[in-house]
Every structure is written in C-alpha cells, then in structure tokens.
C-alpha cells in the first residue's frame, strides 16, 4: 500500500479517493483494447470481407474520425451532466458498438463493422475525455501528472495484451492462396468466409459483458464530482473556445497533435523500416515490435511514474523527448542493425508523453478542464496526418528511413513543450 501511495501521490487521508481511482483506472484498459486490436482486425476483416488494402485501412480511419468528431460534444456533455454521467454514457456507447460486431459478423457487412468501430471509438472518446482530467483532479493537483501516468500504465498493459489475445482468439491461422480460393465452389467460399467472420463473435461478446460489468460498478458506486469552488461555469456557454485563454492548454493541444502523429508513425512503418535498412523478414520485425518495443512502452509507463517522485513531470517530458530525438537521428543516419534497435527504444521514452502532456495542459484550469480536455482529445487526429507525410516522403525519396525525420521533428516540438510551453498562464 505504501508503494501505491508513492506512485499516486495519495496519503492515508485520501482514502475516499482510492475506490474511484481504481474504478476509473479500469477504463484505461478499454480504449487500449480498441486501439491495439486494430492491427489484428485489419488483416482479419480484409480476409473475411475480401477487401483491398485501401478498404481495410478504413478501420483505423473510422476510429480517428470518431475521436475528432466526438471529442468536443463529449466535453460539452461533461460540463452539463458531470463526470460520472459522462463515463456511463461512454460505456453505453462502447458496449453498443461491441454488441454490433455480432450482427456485423453474421451478415459479413464491412459497413456495419466500420459503424460498430465508430460507435466504440465514440464511447472511448467520452471515456478518455473524462478519465484523463478526472485523474489529475482526483487528489492533490501537484501530483496529478504522477497519478495519471500510473493509471495510464494499465493502459500500457492493455496495449500489450490486446494483440496477443486478439491474435489467439480472432485470427484463425487459415490462409488460402488466390488459386485455392478460385478453386472453391460458391458454397465452400461462403462457408470459409463466414467461418472467418464468425470468429469475432465470442471475443467481442465477452468484451461487451465486461463493459457492462464495469458500467454496473461505476453506476452503483460514488464518484466525487470535484467541482472547483472558485468557478462559475454558468457564466460561459456550453460551446466556447474561451478555454484557450489558458496558454498551457493551447500548447498542450499542439504538443498532443504532434505526439499522436509521432506515436502512430513510428509504429506503423517499423516493419517496412526494418526491411529497408537490414532486410529483416516482416514476421521477425512484427515479433520484435510487439515483444520488445511495446513491452518497453508498458515498462516505461511504470518507470516514468516512479521517476516523477524525484523529477518534475515537465522536466522528465523534456528529457524523454530529447532522448527520442537522438534515437531517431541514429535511426535515420545509421545504415546497420543499430538503426532498428535504436528505433525499438523510442516507445520506452514515448510512454509517459500522452498522460504528461494531458496533465500539464489541464493544470490550474478548474472546471474549464472538462471542455479543455475535449480539445486535447481532438488532437488525436494528428495520427491521421503525420503518417501520411511519412508515406509521401518515402514515395518521393525512395527511403522510408528518411521519412522518420517527421517523428523526429514531432519529438522536438514535444521537448519544447516540456521546456517552456507547459507553463500555466491566463491570457
């Protein structure tokens, strides 16, 4: 228990916060599963629904679009109905989307799958918009970043488990060549595709039941609303950009936009990078990314939370971002296996960035944090922008290695935020 107090910044006088902390921490698993089952769903639905690569890429697009579209309405909802109702509505959307996977699988309707993913991501948007600022306010605000990083560590656990469980229970391992598919009768083809599609039913039914259980736990337990006694939110309209009077929020939105872009870009092109630099087979590269880089990401969350006991969160952010700049310089300019290993080291130092940027952006915002959080969540759209720039550079130069100058620049922006951009002030 002593270690828990150290990692969260709580004391023995904060016992009323512990159960709400545990319940809200459960939510961090849910959006981790959403994002980290997509690498499994993309090849699976491509096979089950007979898709092109472009069509299968819409799986990621449906998630990013939901975050961008729903984040601001989620913030408005929170200001009007509060944190607990925001969590419950988010869980309702999440469960509804997951249940929709069952008829989508039965009909093998790709459009229905995409709709289900959009609804799940909409629910996850509500959960992230609530949980991230709520964690920073659920106790002493000076330890908010430490508390959020600790909760986000369990997000890292979910990110590690999701592709492993998804690969085991969703992917069938049956892969036919084009010639074998062409030789099948219509009935055989239909049976094969339906069998592939149906493998998602049981896993997603279990996920839906788990979400309903979490909803029940949240509903029947008290979550403090944590209103700021000095704020009067009735003076401001529900939809307003007045929150940008907070300098730290504006720069947090920018920093998060660049961070998400860097995170997605670094991982999305790793297999191609490894092939380009040292000719590494794709299966080996995929295994290394999951077993080394993503484990490093998970361990980095816990390590970063521990280090924040001794190093201010903005300073640790600056140090980690600067290290990633150096790692990417090595990855870009070294044409040996060292480049691959330095790139695998990047996720460890990415681990604290999202929650730390979030907490620093919410600092000293009071009730305005409810709306401000939605703008930071909207910046996840950076994940749809910067990988495209990397692909463009790779196509034009013929070097995916050179394309990694984009995440390098992203981490430079994050380093600046940790150095100066985080400082709270009202303009």
């Amino acid at each position: 228990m002593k270690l828990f107090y150290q990692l969260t910044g709580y004391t023995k006088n904060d016992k009323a916060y512990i159960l709400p902390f545990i319940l809200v921490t459960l939510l961090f698993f849910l959006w981790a599963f959403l994002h980290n089952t997509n690498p499994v769903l993309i090849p699976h639905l491509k096979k089950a629904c007979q898709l092109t690569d472009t069509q299968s890429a819409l799986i990621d697009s449906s998630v990013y679009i939901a975050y961008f579209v729903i984040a601001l309405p989620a913030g408005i909802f929170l200001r009007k109905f509060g944190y607990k109702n925001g969590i419950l509505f988010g869980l309702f959307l999440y469960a509804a989307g997951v249940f929709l996977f069952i008829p989508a699988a039965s009909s093998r309707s790709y459009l229905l799958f995409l709709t289900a993913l959009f609804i799940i991501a909409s629910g996850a948007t509500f959960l992230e918009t609530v949980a991230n600022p709520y964690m920073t306010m659920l106790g002493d605000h000076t330890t908010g970043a430490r508390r959020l990083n600790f909760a986000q560590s369990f997000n890292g656990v979910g990110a590690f488990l999701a592709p492993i469980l998804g690969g085991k229970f969703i992917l069938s391992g049956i892969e036919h060549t084009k010639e074998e598919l062409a030789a099948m009768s219509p009935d055989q083809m239909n049976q094969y595709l339906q069998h592939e599609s149906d493998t998602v039913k049981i896993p997603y039914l279990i996920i839906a039941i788990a979400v309903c259980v979490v909803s029940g736990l949240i509903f029947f337990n008290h979550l403090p609303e944590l209103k700021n006694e000095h704020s009067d939110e009735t003076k401001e309209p529900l939809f307003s950009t007045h929150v940008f009077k907070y300098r730290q929020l504006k720069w947090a939105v920018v920093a998060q936009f660049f961070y998400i872009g860097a995170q997605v870009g670094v991982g999305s092109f790793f297999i191609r990078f490894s092939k380009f630099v040292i000719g590494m087979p794709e299966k080996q590269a995929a295994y290394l990314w999951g077993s080394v880089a993503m484990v490093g990401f998970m361990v980095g969350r816990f390590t970063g939370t521990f280090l924040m006991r001794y190093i201010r969160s903005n300073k640790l952010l600056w140090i980690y971002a600067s290290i990633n700049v150096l790692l990417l310089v090595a990855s870009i300019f070294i044409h040996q296996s060292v480049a691959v290993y330095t790139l695998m080291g990047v996720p460890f130092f990415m681990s604290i960035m999202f929650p730390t940027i979030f907490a620093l952006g919410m600092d000293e915002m009071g009730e305005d944090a409810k709306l401000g959080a939605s703008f930071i969540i909207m910046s996840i759209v950076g994940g749809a922008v910067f990988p495209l720039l990397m692909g463009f550079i790779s196509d034009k130069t013929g070097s995916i290695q050179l394309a990694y100058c984009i995440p390098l620049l992203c981490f430079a922006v994050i380093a600046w935020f940790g150095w100066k951009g985080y400082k709270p002030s009202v303009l």
Side-chain angles (χ1 to χ4, degrees), residues 190-212:
N190 186 66
Q191 289 177 3
Y192 164 66
L193 296 179
Q194 192 61 54
H195 175 266
E196 290 294 326
S197 184
D198 287 344
T199 60
V200 303
K201 289 183 176 179
I202 298 300
Y204 274 80
L205 180 60
I206 293 173
I207 293 172
I209 293 172
V211 173
C212 290

Side-chain angles (χ1 to χ4, degrees), residues 210-280:
V211 173
C212 290
V213 171
V214 173
S215 300
L217 292 173
I218 298 289
F219 181 80
F220 289 108
N221 282 280
H222 172 69
L223 296 184
E225 191 54 32
L226 304 176
K227 289 188 177 181
N228 189 312
E229 61 181 0
H230 300 295
S231 66
D232 183 5
E233 61 182 283
T234 60
K235 294 181 179 180
E236 297 287 354
L238 288 177
F239 177 81
S240 175
T241 58
H242 79 281
V243 290
F244 285 113
K245 66 184 179 182
Y246 298 98
R247 176 181 181 273
Q248 69 272 28
L249 174 67
K250 288 195 294 186
W251 285 112
V253 169
V254 173
Q256 206 70 280
F257 178 77
F258 279 87
Y259 166 68
I260 297 296
Q263 181 191 43
V264 175
V266 166
S268 293
F269 293 102
F270 176 78
I271 294 175
R272 290 176 58 192
F273 177 92
S274 302
K275 182 73 173 179
F276 179 85
V277 175
I278 57 173
M280 183 181 291

Side-chain angles (χ1 to χ4, degrees), residues 37-293:
T37 52
N38 279 359
V40 173
L41 284 176
I42 288 172
H44 179 71
L45 293 183
K46 179 182 178 182
K47 180 169 52 173
C49 298
Q50 297 290 280
L51 308 172
T52 65
D53 287 331
T54 302
Q55 290 170 330
S56 65
L58 292 174
I59 291 172
D60 274 332
S61 298
S62 62
V63 172
Y64 284 118
I65 290 171
Y67 269 82
F68 183 73
V69 171
I70 302 299
L72 190 57
I76 296 171
F77 184 99
L78 295 187
R79 289 194 65 198
K80 187 170 184 180
F81 299 107
Y83 286 111
K84 183 173 181 177
N85 288 328
I87 291 173
L88 291 172
F89 187 64
L91 289 170
F92 167 76
L93 289 175
Y94 199 109
V98 173
F99 276 120
L100 198 57
F101 259 66
I102 296 174
S106 296
S107 62
R108 293 208 314 270
S109 169
Y110 187 48
L111 179 60
L112 200 53
F113 274 120
L114 293 179
T115 302
L117 283 168
F118 181 88
I119 295 172
I120 296 171
S122 298
T125 304
F126 268 84
L127 298 182
E128 287 209 50
T129 304
V130 174
N132 286 295
Y134 193 74
M135 278 298 182
T136 66
M137 299 172 67
L138 197 62
D140 186 349
H141 78 92
T142 62
T143 56
R146 190 195 310 177
R147 201 157 42 248
L148 182 55
N149 268 283
F150 182 67
Q152 285 275 3
S153 299
F154 293 91
N155 180 279
V157 174
F160 167 66
L161 290 176
I164 295 176
L165 296 176
K168 182 175 180 61
F169 296 108
I170 295 177
L171 297 178
S172 67
I174 303 172
E175 297 183 88
H176 291 296
T177 64
K178 292 182 179 179
E179 291 74 19
E180 289 173 335
L181 291 174
M184 289 183 181
S185 68
D187 286 342
Q188 288 176 320
M189 174 65 82
N190 186 66
Q191 289 177 3
Y192 164 66
L193 296 179
Q194 192 61 54
H195 175 266
E196 290 294 326
S197 184
D198 287 344
T199 60
V200 303
K201 289 183 176 179
I202 298 300
Y204 274 80
L205 180 60
I206 293 173
I207 293 172
I209 293 172
V211 173
C212 290
V213 171
V214 173
S215 300
L217 292 173
I218 298 289
F219 181 80
F220 289 108
N221 282 280
H222 172 69
L223 296 184
E225 191 54 32
L226 304 176
K227 289 188 177 181
N228 189 312
E229 61 181 0
H230 300 295
S231 66
D232 183 5
E233 61 182 283
T234 60
K235 294 181 179 180
E236 297 287 354
L238 288 177
F239 177 81
S240 175
T241 58
H242 79 281
V243 290
F244 285 113
K245 66 184 179 182
Y246 298 98
R247 176 181 181 273
Q248 69 272 28
L249 174 67
K250 288 195 294 186
W251 285 112
V253 169
V254 173
Q256 206 70 280
F257 178 77
F258 279 87
Y259 166 68
I260 297 296
Q263 181 191 43
V264 175
V266 166
S268 293
F269 293 102
F270 176 78
I271 294 175
R272 290 176 58 192
F273 177 92
S274 302
K275 182 73 173 179
F276 179 85
V277 175
I278 57 173
M280 183 181 291
E282 61 180 9
K283 285 190 176 181
Q284 182 182 352
Y287 175 78
L288 285 176
W289 183 255
S291 63
V292 178

Side-chain angles (χ1 to χ4, degrees), residues 259-380:
Y259 166 68
I260 297 296
Q263 181 191 43
V264 175
V266 166
S268 293
F269 293 102
F270 176 78
I271 294 175
R272 290 176 58 192
F273 177 92
S274 302
K275 182 73 173 179
F276 179 85
V277 175
I278 57 173
M280 183 181 291
E282 61 180 9
K283 285 190 176 181
Q284 182 182 352
Y287 175 78
L288 285 176
W289 183 255
S291 63
V292 178
M294 292 312 296
V295 170
F297 183 85
M298 178 182 66
V299 172
R301 281 272 169 87
F302 289 103
T303 304
T305 303
F306 176 78
L307 289 175
M308 283 183 187
R309 294 173 56 196
Y310 309 100
I311 305 173
R312 289 178 58 185
S313 58
N314 68 287
K315 186 175 182 180
L316 191 63
L317 178 66
W318 174 78
I319 293 171
Y320 274 24
S322 299
I323 291 173
N324 271 350
V325 169
L326 295 177
L327 288 173
L328 284 167
V329 167
S331 297
I332 292 169
F333 294 104
I334 296 176
H335 298 279
Q336 297 173 355
S337 58
V338 174
V340 175
Y341 296 122
T342 54
L343 190 56
M344 284 194 292
V346 170
F348 178 90
F349 298 101
M350 289 195 306
S351 58
I352 68 160
M353 292 185 180
F354 181 90
T356 303
I357 293 170
F358 205 107
L360 292 171
M362 296 290 96
D363 194 22
E364 299 184 14
M365 286 189 63
E367 277 294 296
D368 286 331
K370 291 180 178 178
L371 186 57
S374 64
F375 285 103
I376 297 182
I377 294 298
M378 286 177 71
S379 65
I380 199 173

Side-chain angles (χ1 to χ4, degrees), residues 398-409:
S399 172
I400 189 63
Q401 192 173 17
L402 184 60
Y404 273 79
C405 67
I406 294 298
L408 185 155
L409 292 173

